Amino acid sequence: MTLWSVTSYLLLPYVLVSLAWRALRYPAYWHRWPERFGFIGSLEGSRVIWVHAVSVGEVRSAAALIEALADRYPHHRLLVTTMTPTGSDQVRELFGGRVTHTYVPYDFPDAVNRFLDRAAPELAVIAETEFWPNLFRACKYRGIPLCLVNVRLSQASFRGYTWVGRTTRAMFANADLICAQTRIDAQRLRNLGVRDHTIEVMGNLKFDVELPRDLMTEGERLRRQWGCDRPVWIAASTHPGEERRILDAFAILLSRYPDMLLVLVPRHPERFAAVVRLCRRRGYHVARRSIDTGALPAEVNVLVGDTMGELQRLYAGADVSLIGGSLVPKGGQNPLEACAVSVPVIFGQWMFHFEEISAMALERGAARQVHSVQALASAVSLYFEQPALRREAGRAAHSLIEDNHGALARTLELMAERLPQIGFTGSDVKRRDELSRASD
């Protein structure tokens, strides 16, 4: 048994306490515990392609890839795993019954082997950078081709991996293909000792997320409900400590724009009620998206987005966006969902999880970076005072998406080219060629 395996078992009490603590705050965590230890329904008799995406953001990023795999391999069953209930909800919303969902097992050898015995995938696809030494090792031992896609490695993550460099190298050595987002990510992987021949720079799948056809219509409908003439600012995917700063900036802005609406969307559903209470203590008239679905009264000045799966719809109804996780040292959230609907982006100083994307957005004039509450209020005010500037920034945001499409086609093409390594059948090359021609 490896040192990591021993360590993982020693961490079991902490894992159980952490899971129970999460369940107290968000009851959905009480459900389906056996799946987290590999007790899933058997998929025997099915040819399975397994895709893992940890939570909501990763599911959305991998959605086009999952759709493409389902299209290319109609005789396979798509198994999608997540770690969080919100990720599970996102899978159900996006794919319904077209895929099978379970929670991924914790990285205990027994749980991993039980999961793989029952799932028996022909291919494992892990979205973004996940730390699963036992799971990856078990895939290699069983001859299951392992592809890591949309891999990013921030400077902070790189430093963390260096602390367990031996385990990290052994873990990545089990991968047959690693699709890095950028050259910087690829170089960091090499610096960790990952074999160069397994690494390819593919771009970011987040640029290939397809928008629902009625998204902009839905955004316009929301705007009519909120008030077409009032300025609307959305602060999305916020973390603890950020809401206070956002409300401080909002107080400054209200003195200039007394009819302004703030759409405040906490990152984690277990914090919805706490954020509502915070806003009310500040003296604001608060509505909740889950309850107040019709026209908002004019006196409502804060709408808390306490629903799941409609963040992009909320973006589409706003004038200006703030990206959460950036006013506190969390590393920021994905700004591309706002960019895709032509909404200018503002973020704080901490965007290390999206350093290349944020730099591209700043360079193109699609975003502004702020370092204080006053600067945040000034940036929002600037976009409201200068509609032409706001529209120009929105166009720049949208062009950022359009100009960086293609990671999905490149990733699928590379999978098909490496047939001996990842076990696809020759009959699937035709679909690869069709997709390549479509992307030209």
Side-chain angles (χ1 to χ4, degrees), residues 144-427:
I144 301 169
L146 177 63
C147 300
L148 312 184
V149 301
N150 216 38
V151 173
R152 62 182 171 88
L153 206 62
S154 68
Q155 184 62 37
S157 298
F158 172 75
R159 287 195 298 268
Y161 277 125
T162 59
W163 281 98
V164 286
R166 191 176 198 177
T167 300
T168 296
R169 284 191 295 276
M171 179 183 73
F172 282 120
N174 295 310
D176 297 275
L177 175 63
I178 303 175
C179 297
Q181 291 185 14
T182 70
R183 288 188 295 273
I184 294 173
D185 297 313
Q187 188 56 53
R188 286 172 179 160
L189 288 167
R190 296 185 189 101
N191 292 344
L192 288 171
V194 180
R195 296 172 300 174
D196 186 68
H197 74 273
T198 64
I199 303 170
E200 298 285 348
V201 178
M202 291 287 104
N204 193 333
L205 289 177
K206 289 183 170 69
F207 286 107
D208 289 86
V209 172
E210 301 227 352
L211 301 181
R213 292 182 179 179
D214 62 346
L215 179 64
M216 300 310 293
T217 302
E218 281 291 301
E220 292 171 2
R221 183 181 63 81
L222 280 178
R223 191 51 181 268
R224 288 194 297 270
Q225 292 177 349
W226 296 345
C228 293
D229 296 327
R230 66 190 307 189
V232 177
W233 168 34
I234 181 171
S237 299
T238 58
H239 290 254
E242 288 189 302
E243 289 90 4
R244 296 181 185 278
R245 300 181 188 188
I246 291 164
L247 292 175
D248 288 343
F250 186 52
I252 296 171
L253 289 163
L254 278 178
S255 64
R256 306 176 196 172
Y257 311 99
D259 61 339
M260 174 184 286
L261 175 67
L262 169 63
V263 181
L264 184 54
V265 188
R267 170 70 173 171
H268 298 109
E270 59 265 31
R271 299 188 57 248
F272 289 160
V275 171
V276 169
R277 290 193 297 270
L278 172 64
C279 294
R280 286 176 176 159
R281 284 200 302 270
R282 290 289 190 100
Y284 297 116
H285 294 279
V286 181
R288 300 184 65 153
R289 173 66 184 157
S290 62
I291 299 172
D292 304 287
T293 57
L296 287 182
E299 62 269 19
V300 171
N301 39 33
V302 178
L303 173 65
V304 174
D306 60 347
T307 55
M308 298 303 302
E310 65 168 359
L311 179 58
Q312 200 151 33
R313 189 178 300 125
L314 299 178
Y315 274 130
D319 297 307
V320 182
S321 65
L322 170 74
I323 305 303
S326 66
L327 301 180
V328 292
K330 292 292 185 179
Q333 300 300 147
N334 178 18
L336 295 181
E337 288 183 310
C339 292
V341 292
S342 304
V343 174
V345 169
I346 301 170
F347 44 74
Q349 60 182 308
W350 288 288
M351 283 293 287
F352 50 81
H353 285 319
F354 295 90
E355 54 189 339
E356 184 181 50
I357 290 176
S358 58
M360 293 167 67
L362 289 169
E363 182 180 356
R364 286 171 172 254
R368 291 178 177 269
Q369 191 164 30
V370 299
H371 295 80
S372 67
V373 168
Q374 182 62 57
L376 173 57
S378 296
V380 175
S381 179
L382 181 65
Y383 281 127
F384 286 144
E385 291 176 358
Q386 299 188 32
L389 177 66
R390 187 173 72 242
R391 288 192 293 271
E392 181 181 349
R395 285 193 293 268
H398 191 263
S399 69
L400 173 65
I401 301 289
E402 292 296 313
D403 294 346
N404 287 278
H405 266 286
L408 174 62
R410 289 191 294 271
T411 298
L412 288 167
E413 185 172 358
L414 185 60
M415 284 182 175
E417 286 176 356
R418 295 197 176 186
L419 300 179
Q421 288 89 340
I422 61 179
F424 287 156
T425 61
S427 63

